[in-house]
């Protein structure tokens, strides 16, 4: 990593001192070669899939394969070798010209030979820092970082590959610097270069074991859908043999593939209370990691697919301002930070995310939000008239406005859900009433939020209730906004007892990895009944695990 | 929602709009000329699309293209019939802290956007709107879904609203 740039001249005019620039890991160019090869494999797969779909029998495919390789094996190998060489060279040149620097005014990234790019992200614009460890990177003990801003059209700054330890240190340094910049303090420049210790593991409040993950994937709506389509294909096969086997094969392979992907993606999910906020990690082949301050959470969505009701499992997702929070999940698949968890774990998560539910008896309130139905002192339910348009969910549908949040309880055919949104987070409210709803005197109340990930709608309220609720919610939003009741990160740390910052850590090192196993805190937190009790228990658990370390 | 109830009065007077979603508010109606804009643009786009379909129908001799022509013409007819009522269903109300906008005949909608949430106010017009000296005021927030627009305001009124909304947005500015 030492040995300075060929392209020093180009770096000179950038406003950053030349010796501040740093290179990425030497292994980085090899990633390009690997990418080329995986592209070749993919292309080959697509080609043969196309052949298969054309209805040609496996036999002819085999003939084709054997024939091709027999006649042109030498040529194919030569072409691929040449391509590897060229892509390696290109990747190496690209690596030689890629630099990054952390300086007083932010993060700089320069790359490109013909098309140069100089990205500059100011400290106070940093939104999220994500560490990603892809399969290839993990082989070499490396990882990469993505730093995003709120800008809607930039994909963020990607830093990588770097050593795993460096990734962790960089992340800490960037978060610390952006925190200081936001508070207007001078930026104390990151000590990560001195090779500071690996930070201790913060307290885990959620940990997913393999058994539960596999069971939950097995009893998911997707599995049932897959089974249905397989059954359909078998029927088809019975009546019209032969050719129908091919789509069947594809469906089975597709279902299996998506199940494996979802399992791998959610493997070993862990949620911790880190110093900078809530830290989420998951993944088998590539580990994704995100840290977000709970103050940036706009809304929480908790849902339960129908097959999970037997076990009382739920899943939880959060709506966070900013874009690339969970980059390893596709847009169509809503990322759940807790892919499957018990009621107790959900309540622990709510406790970690929300300073206050704004009710007298949070336990009874949550019981009602998760399991309840009908009107009560707290919840305003959908009227009986709505059973015509919502035969399965109408009993469960209801909304509660507490002092701090709005809680929307919904029921559907294939599951139920709870949505929680801060009063001061909606961008607008709207009421809607279609032709049928209007006949029945019903209306939907919709909370418009940043981002599209969670739709927050309470459907089929009676029209009078909807109007009144809209009015009340606007009022609550006003008063909360003027009161400014948002929880600062300092107060959050105190409340949940988050891990101390790195400087306070007694003695970073290998001892922490083994001794700091924070499972105890998380596990005991699972059955935390009252939220308050959960809080104290968490703190005790953390103290214990810290004691072990020392 | 402080204004006296107008529900007892039944129909709103001219220049005013009411909606069952907020019975206690009296909304300012948009310019009645907006119905003409709706009709004009519907005729222009609808008929040219129908002509295109018909042309293709002649060329390719496909039945479904002719079916499409029929559907488009029916749609144009419905829009022409409902244009007046539709434009009457639009209304806005400048509350103390929020802007309320109501719209829609079949699918009635009431939107409320706090002034503090406003990111920017945009005034737009087009050839049809300009012909009747009208403009559309859009209020944009950080949420795409919460953006509201009030079409068919007289140009002076649109300008007044833009200035007023921008002022209010600045006075009550908040973060996300």
């Amino acid at each position: 990593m030492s040995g300075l740039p060929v392209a020093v001249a180009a770096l000179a005019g950038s406003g950053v001192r030349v010796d501040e620039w740093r290179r990425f890991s030497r292994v980085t160019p090899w990633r390009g070669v690997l990418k080329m090869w995986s592209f070749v494999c993919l292309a080959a797969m697509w080609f043969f899939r196309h052949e298969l779909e054309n209805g040609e029998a496996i036999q002819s495919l085999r003939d084709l394969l054997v024939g091709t390789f027999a006649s042109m094996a030498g040529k194919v190998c030569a072409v691929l070798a040449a391509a590897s060489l060229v892509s390696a060279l290109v990747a190496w040149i690209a690596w030689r010209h890629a630099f990054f620097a952390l300086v007083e005014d932010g993060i700089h990234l320069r790359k490109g030979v013909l098309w140069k790019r100089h990205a500059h992200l100011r400290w106070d614009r940093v939104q999220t820092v994500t560490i990603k460890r892809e399969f290839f990177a993990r082989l070499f003990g490396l990882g990469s970082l993505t730093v995003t801003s709120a800008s809607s059209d930039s994909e963020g700054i990607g830093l990588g590959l770097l050593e795993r330890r460096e990734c962790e240190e960089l992340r800490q340094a960037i978060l610390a610097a952006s925190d200081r910049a936001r508070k207007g303090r001078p930026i104390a420049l990151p000590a990560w270069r001195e090779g500071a210790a690996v930070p201790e593991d913060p307290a885990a409040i959620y940990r997913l074991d393999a058994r539960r993950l596999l069971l939950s994937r097995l009893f998911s709506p997707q599995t049932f859908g897959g089974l249905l389509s397989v059954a359909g294909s078998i029927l088809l096969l019975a009546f019209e043999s032969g050719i129908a086997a091919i789509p069947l094969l594809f469906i089975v392979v597709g279902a299996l593939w998506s199940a494996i992907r979802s399992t791998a993606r959610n493997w070993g999910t862990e949620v911790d209370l880190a110093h900078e906020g809530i830290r989420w990690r998951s993944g088998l082949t590539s580990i994704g990691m995100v840290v977000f301050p709970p103050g940036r959470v706009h809304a929480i969505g908790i849902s339960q697919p129908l097959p999970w009701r037997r076990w009382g499992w739920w899943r939880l997702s959060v709506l966070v301002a900013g874009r690339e929070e969970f980059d390893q999940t596709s847009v169509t698949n809503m990322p759940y930070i807790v892919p499957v968890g018990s009621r107790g774990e959900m309540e622990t998560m709510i406790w970690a995310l929300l300073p206050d539910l704004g009710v007298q008896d949070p336990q009874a309130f949550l019981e009602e939000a998760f399991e309840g139905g009908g009107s009560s002192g707290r919840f305003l339910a959908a009227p009986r008239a709505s059973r015509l348009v919502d035969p399965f969910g109408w009993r469960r549908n209801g909304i509660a406005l507490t002092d701090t949040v709005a809680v929307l309880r919904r029921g559907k055919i294939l599951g139920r859900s709870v949505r929680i949104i801060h009063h001061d987070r909606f961008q607008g409210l709207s009421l809607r009433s279609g032709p049928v709803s209007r006949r029945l005197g019903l209306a939907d109340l919709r909370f418009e939020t940043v981002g599209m990930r969670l739709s927050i709608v309470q459907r089929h309220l009676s029209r009078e209730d909807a109007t009144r609720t809209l009015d009340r919610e606007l009022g609550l939003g006003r008063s909360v906004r003027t009161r400014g009741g948002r929880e600062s990160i300092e107060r959050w740390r105190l409340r949940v007892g988050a891990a101390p910052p790195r400087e306070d850590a007694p003695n970073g090192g290998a001892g922490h990895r083994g001794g700091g196993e924070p499972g105890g805190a998380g596990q005991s937190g699972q059955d935390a009944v009252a939220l308050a009790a959960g809080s104290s228990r968490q703190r005790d658990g953390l103290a214990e695990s810290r004691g072990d370390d020392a | 929602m402080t204004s006296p109830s107008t529900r007892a009065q039944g129909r709103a007077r001219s220049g005013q709009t009411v909606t069952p979603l907020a019975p206690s508010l009296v909304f300012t109606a948009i310019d009645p000329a907006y119905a003409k804009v709706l009709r004009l643009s519907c005729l222009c786009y609808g008929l040219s699309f129908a002509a295109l379909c018909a042309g293709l129908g002649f060329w390719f001799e496909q039945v479904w293209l002719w079916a499409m022509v029929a559907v488009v013409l029916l749609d144009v007819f419905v829009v022409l019939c409902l244009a007046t009522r539709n434009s009457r269903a639009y209304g806005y109300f400048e509350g103390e802290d929020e802007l309320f906008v109501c719209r829609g005949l079949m699918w009635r909608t009431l939107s409320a956007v706090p002034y503090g949430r406003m990111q920017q106010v945009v005034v737009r017009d087009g050839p049809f709107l300009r012909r009747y000296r009208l403009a559309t005021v859009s209020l944009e927030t950080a949420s795409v879904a919460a953006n509201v627009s009030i079409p068919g305001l007289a140009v002076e009124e649109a300008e007044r609203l833009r200035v007023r909304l921008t002022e209010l947005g600045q006075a009550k500015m908040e973060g996300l």
Side-chain angles (χ1 to χ4, degrees):
Chain A
M1 290 254 176
S2 56
L4 263 174
V6 201
V8 177
L11 292 173
S14 59
V16 178
R17 282 215 328 272
V18 172
D19 57 331
E20 299 274 6
W21 290 102
R22 288 188 31 141
R23 277 227 175 90
F24 298 114
S25 161
R26 275 176 201 288
V27 186
T28 313
W30 295 105
R31 190 168 56 165
V33 181
L34 195 82
K35 269 188 185 156
M36 199 273 305
W37 273 99
S38 56
F39 177 75
V40 167
C41 289
L42 261 177
M45 238 171 73
W46 272 103
F47 174 71
F48 290 127
R49 200 178 133 166
H50 184 71
E51 289 290 310
L52 267 178
E53 275 168 351
N54 272 354
E56 297 193 16
I58 309 280
Q59 182 61 38
S60 78
L61 183 74
R62 218 196 57 178
D63 288 349
L64 183 80
L65 269 177
V66 172
T68 316
F69 274 107
S71 63
M72 333 196 292
K75 278 182 205 165
V76 169
C77 284
V79 166
L80 286 180
S84 303
L85 206 70
V86 170
S87 69
L89 196 69
V90 168
W92 184 75
I93 293 173
W95 170 75
R96 292 284 291 173
H97 287 82
F99 304 98
F100 73 100
L102 267 63
V103 288
E104 272 74 14
D105 63 347
I107 308 170
H108 292 261
L109 173 74
R110 278 178 86 90
K111 60 205 279 190
V113 184
L114 293 178
W115 292 273
K116 288 190 169 49
R117 176 174 171 231
H118 183 148
H120 175 197
L121 184 57
R122 276 175 41 189
W123 289 123
D124 54 353
R125 292 284 172 266
V126 172
Q127 285 280 343
T128 57
V129 184
T130 313
I131 294 186
K132 203 169 169 186
R133 305 193 62 210
E134 287 162 329
F135 184 63
F136 173 74
R138 274 218 279 176
L139 286 180
F140 295 89
L142 303 170
S144 55
L145 252 92
T146 309
V147 188
T148 61
S149 64
S151 153
S152 55
D153 55 11
S154 98
E155 74 273 28
I157 287 187
L159 304 177
L161 302 170
L162 291 163
E163 273 172 44
R164 204 199 141 204
R165 187 178 50 83
E166 285 181 315
C167 285
E168 186 60 37
E169 286 159 9
L170 257 180
R171 188 182 64 81
Q172 299 249 348
I174 291 169
L175 285 172
S178 80
D179 196 37
R180 293 182 79 95
R182 283 215 169 80
K183 286 183 194 130
R185 290 200 216 134
I187 314 292
L189 252 186
W192 61 278
R193 266 172 287 193
E194 277 89 76
V198 175
E200 76 175 288
D201 261 353
I205 53 170
Y206 171 79
R207 185 168 284 185
L208 179 58
D209 55 52
R211 191 186 135 269
R212 205 158 42 149
L213 174 63
L214 291 174
L215 268 178
S216 72
R217 294 308 107 166
L218 198 62
F219 291 95
S220 69
Q222 284 81 3
T223 313
F224 282 97
L227 281 180
L228 265 180
S229 62
V230 166
S233 296
I234 289 175
L235 266 176
L236 208 74
L237 194 67
F239 289 112
E240 202 178 323
S241 55
I243 199 81
I246 290 172
L248 176 77
L249 193 79
F250 277 114
I251 287 169
V252 172
V253 168
L256 235 112
W257 176 242
S258 77
I260 290 171
R261 242 170 61 106
S262 148
T263 309
R265 196 193 283 155
N266 292 313
W267 189 270
T269 303
E270 241 183 70
V271 181
D272 308 319
L273 304 173
H275 186 66
E276 306 88 0
I278 289 174
R279 187 166 84 164
W280 172 90
R281 264 185 303 190
S282 90
L284 182 65
T285 51
S286 72
I287 292 184
M289 179 164 137
V290 183
V291 180
F292 56 91
R296 214 169 285 154
V297 172
H298 284 213
I300 306 172
I302 303 172
S303 61
Q304 179 181 59
L306 186 63
W308 289 7
R309 196 173 295 184
R310 264 195 64 193
W311 289 278
W313 288 340
W314 299 80
R315 56 193 179 190
L316 182 141
S317 56
V318 290
L319 184 74
V320 183
R323 286 170 72 80
E324 285 273 316
E325 299 92 35
F326 300 97
D327 62 331
Q328 57 168 305
T329 42
S330 63
V331 186
T332 48
N333 224 348
M334 199 157 80
Y336 296 99
I337 65 167
V338 177
V340 48
S342 65
R343 257 280 296 285
E345 282 164 325
M346 292 300 140
E347 288 174 5
T348 310
M349 283 303 296
I350 295 176
W351 157 79
L353 291 166
L354 289 179
D356 186 8
L357 272 173
V359 286
Q360 289 294 321
D361 183 359
Q363 196 47 44
F365 179 77
L366 281 176
E367 171 68 29
E368 217 176 310
F370 278 104
E371 308 287 348
S375 266
S376 68
R378 302 185 183 100
F379 276 86
L380 180 67
R384 206 177 148 68
S386 69
R387 73 188 188 283
L388 288 174
V389 278
D390 206 352
F392 296 95
W394 74 274
R395 259 175 225 283
R396 185 172 156 74
N397 285 350
I399 183 168
L401 305 181
T402 75
D403 291 342
T404 52
V405 290
V407 179
L408 290 74
R409 190 178 67 191
R410 285 265 291 134
K412 284 177 225 158
I413 306 176
L414 289 176
R416 17 191 216 173
S417 67
V418 182
R419 299 261 193 272
I420 305 175
I421 177 168
H422 288 281
H423 285 316
D424 59 341
R425 291 299 196 182
F426 63 82
Q427 304 294 311
L429 295 176
S430 66
L431 290 179
R432 273 167 215 211
S433 181
V436 181
S437 295
R438 209 164 64 240
R439 282 295 125 68
L440 299 170
L442 305 174
D444 300 344
L445 172 63
R446 185 181 290 267
F447 291 73
E448 319 287 12
T449 52
V450 294
M452 298 298 218
R453 197 166 281 152
L454 278 177
S455 90
I456 301 177
V457 192
Q458 188 61 48
R459 311 206 54 180
H460 310 313
L461 289 169
S462 85
R463 195 191 299 138
E464 291 75 31
D465 284 348
T467 308
R468 221 172 299 135
T469 311
L470 176 101
D471 206 16
R472 262 191 70 202
E473 177 64 29
L474 286 173
L476 283 166
R478 268 197 301 269
S479 68
V480 171
R481 284 197 299 270
T482 43
R483 202 169 57 204
R486 282 187 197 169
E487 190 180 33
S488 68
I489 185 87
E490 287 84 10
R491 260 166 47 206
W492 177 81
R493 272 177 210 143
L494 273 180
R495 182 170 67 83
V496 301
R502 204 179 42 170
E503 291 81 39
D504 301 354
N507 222 342
H512 283 289
R513 308 257 107 211
E517 195 65 60
Q523 299 306 320
S524 66
Q526 272 179 27
D527 50 346
V529 221
L531 292 178
S535 153
S536 66
R537 218 178 282 198
Q538 284 298 334
R539 231 170 284 147
D540 293 345
L542 190 77
E544 269 167 39
S545 74
R546 223 181 286 154
D548 289 347
D549 292 340
Chain B
M1 301 199 180
T2 43
S3 312
S5 169
T6 48
R7 220 178 175 191
Q9 301 172 13
R11 269 186 89 85
R13 282 168 295 176
S14 73
Q16 290 180 348
T17 304
V18 289
T19 172
L21 294 174
S24 59
L25 297 185
V26 184
F27 293 82
T28 314
I30 59 169
D31 199 300
Y34 183 63
K36 292 178 198 161
V37 177
L38 272 181
R39 279 196 211 105
L40 253 178
S41 64
C42 164
L43 267 176
C44 185
Y45 295 122
L47 290 187
S48 48
F49 187 60
L52 184 77
C53 287
L56 287 173
F58 269 120
W59 192 264
F60 294 109
E61 294 178 349
Q62 294 280 325
V63 182
W64 61 269
L65 279 168
W66 289 106
M68 223 157 121
V69 173
V71 169
V72 171
L73 287 180
L74 189 75
D75 190 45
V76 168
F77 179 72
V78 170
V79 172
L80 288 183
C81 291
L82 290 179
T84 312
R85 288 185 57 202
N86 198 4
S87 69
R88 248 186 236 148
Y90 264 103
Y92 61 96
F93 176 81
E94 296 164 63
E96 207 157 286
D97 292 278
E98 297 93 8
L99 178 76
F100 295 86
V101 176
C102 67
R103 64 177 186 277
L105 275 174
M106 291 291 273
W107 281 270
R108 283 185 200 276
T109 307
L110 170 77
S111 306
V113 179
Y115 296 126
R117 292 295 191 220
M118 234 170 269
Q119 300 291 329
Q120 56 176 339
V121 185
V122 182
V123 180
R124 291 192 184 86
D125 66 0
F128 297 129
L129 281 169
R130 232 184 346 258
R131 216 190 127 165
Y132 296 98
R133 288 188 46 74
L134 298 178
T136 299
V137 175
S138 305
L139 204 145
E140 296 180 0
T141 66
S143 160
V144 186
N147 297 350
V148 293
S149 61
I150 315 167
L153 291 172
V155 172
E156 298 77 29
E157 171 66 2
E159 196 51 32
R160 184 197 68 80
L161 207 59
R162 182 186 68 77
V163 172
R164 170 103 182 107
L165 289 179
T166 313
E167 262 173 31
L168 282 168
Q170 261 162 7
K172 298 176 193 274
M173 187 62 199
E174 290 149 9
L176 297 178

